[in-house]
Amino acid sequence: MWQDNINAQLATLEKKAQKRKLPRMERSDEGWVMMNGRKLLNLASNNYLGLADDERLIEASIRAMQTYGAGATASRLIVGNHALYEEAEAALVKWKETEAALIINSGYTANVGILSALASREDVIFSDKLNHASIVDGAILSRAELKRYRHNDIDHLETLLKKTPVHKLKIIVTDTVFSMDGDIAPLRELVALKEKYGAILMIDEAHSSGLYGEKGEGLAHHLGIAEHVDIHMGTFSKALGTFGAYVTGKKYLIDYLINHMRAFIFTTALPPAVLGSIRAAISIVQQEHERRINLFTHSDYVRNELKRLGFNIGASTTQIVPIIIGDNERTVRFSERLQERGIAAVAIRPPTVPEGTARIRFSLMATLTKQQIDWALEQIALVGKEMGVIA
Ligand SMILES: *Cc1c(COP(=O)(O)O)cnc(C)c1O
């Protein structure tokens, strides 16, 4: 019976402490959230620059909705391409100093859509083992051969590239900042490899767009190699505080996607309100450098303090800081204890991360205060000692 099978699978998840539950969120302000009726300091959101509750984004959304309505009414190729799209895409082209840009409904959709549009059965996709799930799903949907290289392991990637016939289309794809570890991809080395082997390089800047680079363009710009990356994908749903995603690159690439990307063609355009806030966020993020500076100051401080306390923060060098605990149940207990002490930070378990590396993941926000952070570190240290994670 299929029902018994489903219930058995749920029971297995429960037993392995891997069953997911939806928490109930109520409202949030100044770094705090109400979750399951408790007031918690939010160290779990991707609202890195604090733009999600910015009045300017909210007002731009309202204005857009009043002008263009609540819904887009159709896909962009039919009648959903309201004027805000062109404005926002023109702003993206300028910001990223590129030829063309396309806004896509979400980061998940973008990765699934781009990879499945570009690659097909005879092609090969080389993907970092810790890439986001949407990249894996895009590769599977494309039906290309998927070769997953060891995390940030350039030598392993080169071995795989070498073994692949020269005539095959090759796509190398990587997150720039890895969402579960907070470490960074070796983009310069990836560019060198893609040039050596004639591959396409695609990067996912979901956790770096808005943060790195002089105007928050992303990690590729920060490293001065933007024009060597063929496909730049990023989201508006994290540092930019709203929703949706983009892909930027050469004009022919964007034209190709408009014509071949099913996840773009066969879906309703974003609601005008979302485009309004995207447009506002693109301009704010380029100007308000102090947000980035605050975030980096906070991140450096938190990483150093957690290390000093004796926690294993893995290879993090960014605003995403895990403390790796290992065991699932212990990790879940750790996050519950943190909640009891007033901190929202998620337990991340397999299959999201490899077996035996369950962790608490903290993600920081520019808008936190030093007092909030020091208080949080105290709570984390107390729980760490209570549970024997640190001495
Ligand atoms: C969050 C994330 C996505 C998905 O973006 P959404 O806009 O939330 O759909 C894709 N890639 C990476 C690396 C992400 O962290």
Side-chain angles (χ1 to χ4, degrees):
M1 295 289 271
W2 67 271
Q3 293 94 334
D4 296 337
N5 182 17
I6 282 179
N7 281 317
Q9 289 191 42
L10 288 171
T12 307
L13 285 177
E14 186 88 62
K15 224 191 286 156
K16 290 199 290 183
Q18 285 184 15
K19 181 137 181 262
R20 299 167 195 257
K21 292 191 189 79
L22 285 168
R24 169 140 191 231
M25 309 304 299
E26 274 137 55
R27 84 203 153 78
S28 68
D29 61 286
E30 292 174 348
W32 300 91
V33 282
M34 290 295 292
M35 185 159 133
N36 299 328
R38 262 201 299 247
K39 186 182 171 188
L40 306 175
L41 187 69
N42 190 356
L43 297 185
S45 98
N46 300 319
N47 182 23
Y48 301 128
L49 297 177
L51 290 176
D53 32 29
D54 191 285
E55 277 305 317
R56 293 165 294 180
L57 267 65
I58 295 167
E59 275 160 25
S61 284
I62 294 170
R63 257 183 284 121
M65 186 152 44
Q66 283 167 340
T67 311
Y68 297 98
T73 78
S75 71
R76 287 185 67 187
L77 289 165
I78 310 299
V79 290
N81 196 36
H82 41 91
L84 284 170
Y85 264 114
E86 261 175 44
E87 273 180 41
E89 283 169 353
L92 264 171
V93 165
K94 264 183 115 175
W95 178 32
K96 305 278 180 182
E97 297 160 330
T98 183
E99 276 184 23
L102 187 67
I103 292 176
I104 297 164
N105 284 11
S106 75
Y108 183 90
T109 316
N111 282 334
V112 166
I114 295 165
L115 287 168
S116 60
L118 283 173
S120 54
R121 221 180 277 278
E122 295 74 36
D123 308 328
V124 187
I125 295 174
F126 301 86
S127 171
D128 188 289
K129 274 205 173 156
L130 297 189
N131 275 345
H132 192 262
S134 53
I135 293 177
V136 178
D137 293 359
I140 291 170
L141 187 62
S142 77
R143 299 189 183 85
E145 188 183 345
L146 174 58
K147 294 195 176 180
R148 298 174 75 205
Y149 59 91
R150 285 192 292 270
H151 177 51
N152 279 346
D153 188 335
I154 287 292
D155 293 336
H156 187 215
L157 172 58
E158 180 153 24
T159 311
L160 296 175
L161 282 163
K162 246 184 220 157
K163 278 197 240 160
T164 306
V166 188
H167 68 273
K168 288 217 172 199
L169 179 89
K170 307 173 190 71
I171 301 176
I172 302 169
V173 56
T174 186
D175 289 11
T176 51
V177 168
F178 287 87
S179 48
M180 297 302 143
D181 292 72
D183 58 344
I184 278 182
L187 288 190
R188 285 207 179 93
E189 290 85 344
L190 289 171
V191 164
L193 273 194
K194 86 123 204 176
E195 280 167 3
K196 186 168 171 193
Y197 290 91
I200 298 171
L201 179 59
M202 169 172 168
I203 60 173
D204 177 340
E205 300 243 35
H207 294 282
S208 47
S209 196
L211 306 183
Y212 290 89
E214 233 170 281
K215 295 178 290 174
E217 305 95 310
L219 190 66
H221 287 77
H222 171 73
L223 297 172
I225 53 156
E227 66 272 42
H228 300 287
V229 174
D230 304 289
I231 306 170
H232 295 248
M233 172 273 174
T235 68
F236 303 113
S237 50
K238 287 170 179 147
L240 279 87
T242 169
F243 186 73
Y246 63 81
V247 52
T248 64
K250 295 283 190 215
K251 176 102 175 37
Y252 59 79
L253 171 74
I254 301 304
D255 273 346
Y256 179 86
L257 291 175
I258 291 171
N259 285 278
H260 286 273
M261 182 171 162
R262 296 167 66 85
F264 170 80
I265 299 169
F266 297 106
T267 191
T268 299
L270 286 170
V274 172
L275 263 297
S277 58
I278 288 175
R279 182 68 196 83
I282 292 173
S283 90
I284 293 168
V285 85
Q286 294 182 65
Q287 291 156 20
E288 300 190 351
H289 308 291
E290 64 284 0
R291 289 178 189 268
R292 281 186 277 282
I293 293 165
N294 284 345
L295 180 66
F296 291 140
T297 308
H298 290 339
S299 308
D300 291 346
Y301 179 65
V302 167
R303 286 194 315 273
N304 286 335
E305 286 300 298
L306 288 176
K307 259 193 286 191
R308 196 180 54 78
L309 287 163
F311 286 106
N312 173 9
I313 66 160
S316 167
T317 56
T318 65
Q319 77 283 1
I320 297 170
V321 190
I323 54 183
I324 298 163
I325 293 174
D327 177 71
N328 290 345
E329 269 159 67
R330 208 151 162 247
T331 307
V332 172
R333 217 164 355 107
F334 201 109
S335 85
E336 285 166 359
R337 300 303 272 273
L338 284 177
Q339 282 188 30
E340 285 158 20
R341 292 190 169 275
I343 292 172
V346 234
I348 312 263
R349 288 158 285 172
T352 309
V353 293
E355 286 292 339
T357 69
R359 66 200 62 191
I360 304 290
R361 186 184 63 161
F362 300 108
S363 48
L364 303 170
M365 285 195 289
T367 44
L368 292 167
T369 64
K370 180 78 169 25
Q371 287 97 305
Q372 285 174 322
I373 291 173
D374 279 329
W375 173 81
L377 285 165
E378 258 169 57
Q379 313 310 309
I380 297 165
L382 282 171
V383 175
K385 279 174 198 152
E386 255 169 46
M387 292 193 49
V389 174
I390 53 171

